[in-house]
Amino acid sequence: MTAPWHERLRPGWTYGLRWKIVLTVAGVACAVAAILGVLVHNVLTRQRVDEVRKEARQDLDAALKQYAYGTETTDGHAAVLNPPELPDPLRKLAEGGERGLMVGERGGMAVMWAAAPAGGQVLALSVPYESTRDHLRQMDTAILGSALLAAGSVTLAGTYFAGRISRRLHRTATVARRITDGDLDVRTGIPAGGKAAEHDAVTAVAVALDSMAASLQRRLESEKRFTADVAHELRTPLTGMLAAAGLLPEGRPKEMINDRLKALHTLTEDLLEISRLDAGAERPELAEHEVGPLVRRAVLATALPCEVHVVRDAVVRTDRRRLDRIIANLVVNAHRHGAPPVSLTVDGPVVEIRDHGPGYPADLIDRGPQRFRTGDPGRGRGHGLGLTIAVGQAHVLGIDLRFSNAPTGGAVTTLRLPSG
């Protein structure tokens, strides 16, 4: 039997999905903030620098005019010939007969140099640039802070919404697992109403799962009622037919009729038992028992050959009648669909039944017994209602029942009983 849903750990993919969404949102937010920051920086920097350059050009034009009239200064910033602090690239450009602008230093302060040829010399002046540089630095700091704040806000919002999505997906996945385990009453509880829900994929999945569970529950309830009604209606006439068959004269026909009627009567009782198990009407009468003697009596009641080995006995709390039913069904199934020798080993609360036949089919090991599934010559071992009843009674008693195949061949059924 599989572990109860509430004992399972939360699946790792929900964590992975949540953080993938968060990281994606954070990455996109940072990328957008960086791109916008660079664009704003470039625009504002170009605008501010252009203003300084315009001022330097205007002062240089005025200085050239005044130099032509025999003066070397302007009404604005001082213009001098061949200043020693003039950057070499700008000096060479002016000596080559061209005007130019360049950021440099003068007296340890940042300035915007403007230079032009004048009478075979270089006339240059400087415009203060330190305040502009400070302003640009402050602007970059403000842009960076705004970008970080925006990216952080978007990331927090993304984390919140990613958490909501992952929680709803986790709830939906949990409900799906519980439905797989047979709990058809569970629902996601996610409301389906509202216009927003029509475009919400997570809500659509949850609503579809709830609808599927409700439809499946109605169909299974209908099948259960039908099975119970058929079995109940057959019980009375079969009992009468068995009594009437006892009045037939002795002979082969009577034996054949009795054999078929008993088989049909057994099938009817099995169907009624399965109906009670499906309805959850079975209540165990628990008491403490030693596993070894209890198992020996159950095997002996089948009248089938089965070697019982008690490696280590244990006291368990169980319903003897129901455990007898489980052991008997497993031993009968081992003889019917397996091959001798059939052995049963008790090792404390663990009981293992093994035969030496073709083994369980893969679908039984993966999905458990399916009703009315019989042997398929092309696939080996099959099963009918016996294993289904064994699984149902094991669930009532809280027994962990597992099906597997031995490495050397043969089917292995393991029961782990709850300790007393």
Side-chain angles (χ1 to χ4, degrees), residues 126-146:
S126 62
V127 176
Y129 192 74
E130 190 71 28
S131 61
T132 301
R133 178 176 290 179
D134 292 340
H135 177 76
L136 292 177
R137 288 173 180 170
Q138 293 174 2
M139 181 185 65
D140 288 343
T141 302
I143 292 175
L144 179 61
S146 301

Side-chain angles (χ1 to χ4, degrees), residues 294-358:
L294 192 152
V295 167
R296 290 184 188 276
R297 286 195 300 269
V299 172
L300 187 62
T302 64
L304 295 171
C306 179
E307 300 178 3
V308 179
H309 305 284
V310 180
V311 178
R312 178 172 57 93
D313 210 341
V315 176
V316 297
R317 185 171 178 79
T318 188
D319 186 325
R320 186 182 68 179
R321 180 182 63 84
R322 297 180 189 278
L323 185 58
D324 286 348
R325 176 72 158 150
I326 295 172
I327 298 296
N329 280 16
L330 294 176
V331 171
V332 170
N333 188 80
H335 279 279
R336 181 175 298 169
H337 299 291
V342 176
S343 61
L344 187 149
T345 303
V346 177
D347 188 0
V350 179
V351 178
E352 182 181 281
I353 301 172
R354 180 186 176 184
D355 62 51
H356 290 75

Side-chain angles (χ1 to χ4, degrees), residues 67-400:
Y67 177 79
Y69 292 105
T71 61
E72 298 183 3
T73 60
T74 68
D75 295 335
H77 302 96
V80 296
L81 292 171
N82 302 316
E85 294 176 305
L86 185 66
D88 289 337
L90 186 58
R91 185 187 303 277
K92 293 178 180 179
L93 182 67
E95 289 175 351
E98 297 183 14
R99 296 184 181 188
L101 299 170
M102 185 175 182
V103 177
E105 290 187 357
R106 188 174 191 179
M109 302 294 289
V111 294
M112 174 70 75
W113 285 100
Q121 301 184 71
V122 175
L123 180 65
L125 59 83
S126 62
V127 176
Y129 192 74
E130 190 71 28
S131 61
T132 301
R133 178 176 290 179
D134 292 340
H135 177 76
L136 292 177
R137 288 173 180 170
Q138 293 174 2
M139 181 185 65
D140 288 343
T141 302
I143 292 175
L144 179 61
S146 301
L148 292 177
L149 179 61
S153 301
V154 173
T155 301
L156 288 177
T159 302
Y160 170 73
F161 287 109
R164 288 192 59 188
I165 293 174
S166 65
R167 284 193 297 271
R168 292 158 69 195
L169 286 175
H170 168 61
R171 187 190 311 174
T172 304
T174 300
V175 169
R177 289 194 301 274
R178 291 180 61 180
I179 292 174
T180 302
D181 292 339
D183 185 2
L184 298 181
D185 294 324
V186 67
R187 298 292 184 269
T188 62
I190 298 177
K195 294 183 178 180
E198 298 177 0
H199 306 287
D200 188 343
V202 178
T203 300
V205 172
V207 171
L209 181 64
D210 287 346
S211 176
M212 180 197 71
S215 176
L216 182 61
Q217 186 178 36
R218 289 193 298 268
R219 181 173 299 181
L220 289 179
E221 290 296 334
S222 176
E223 292 180 356
K224 290 176 184 178
R225 287 194 299 270
F226 176 77
T227 302
D229 291 343
V230 169
H232 186 269
E233 293 297 327
L234 287 176
R235 194 175 193 181
T236 301
L238 279 175
T239 303
M241 293 174 66
L242 282 171
L247 302 176
L248 295 175
E250 298 295 332
R252 181 61 179 166
K254 178 180 180 179
E255 293 178 0
M256 294 177 63
I257 292 176
N258 280 333
D259 181 64
R260 294 298 90 195
L261 287 177
K262 288 178 180 178
L264 189 56
H265 185 267
T266 300
L267 175 61
T268 303
E269 294 297 326
D270 288 346
L271 289 175
L272 286 173
E273 183 173 358
I274 289 177
S275 298
R276 291 193 297 271
L277 289 170
D278 288 341
E282 296 290 301
R283 295 293 181 268
E285 298 177 2
L286 301 177
E288 293 188 352
H289 300 276
E290 291 186 355
V291 180
L294 192 152
V295 167
R296 290 184 188 276
R297 286 195 300 269
V299 172
L300 187 62
T302 64
L304 295 171
C306 179
E307 300 178 3
V308 179
H309 305 284
V310 180
V311 178
R312 178 172 57 93
D313 210 341
V315 176
V316 297
R317 185 171 178 79
T318 188
D319 186 325
R320 186 182 68 179
R321 180 182 63 84
R322 297 180 189 278
L323 185 58
D324 286 348
R325 176 72 158 150
I326 295 172
I327 298 296
N329 280 16
L330 294 176
V331 171
V332 170
N333 188 80
H335 279 279
R336 181 175 298 169
H337 299 291
V342 176
S343 61
L344 187 149
T345 303
V346 177
D347 188 0
V350 179
V351 178
E352 182 181 281
I353 301 172
R354 180 186 176 184
D355 62 51
H356 290 75
Y360 288 122
D363 60 343
L364 186 148
I365 296 175
D366 294 337
R367 297 192 294 270
Q370 302 175 39
R371 300 175 188 180
F372 301 109
R373 182 70 178 273
T374 57
D376 184 348
R379 299 178 62 184
R381 186 187 184 96
H383 54 283
L385 294 179
L387 293 187
T388 304
I389 293 175
V391 170
Q393 293 291 4
H395 179 74
V396 172
L397 297 179
I399 297 175
D400 184 13

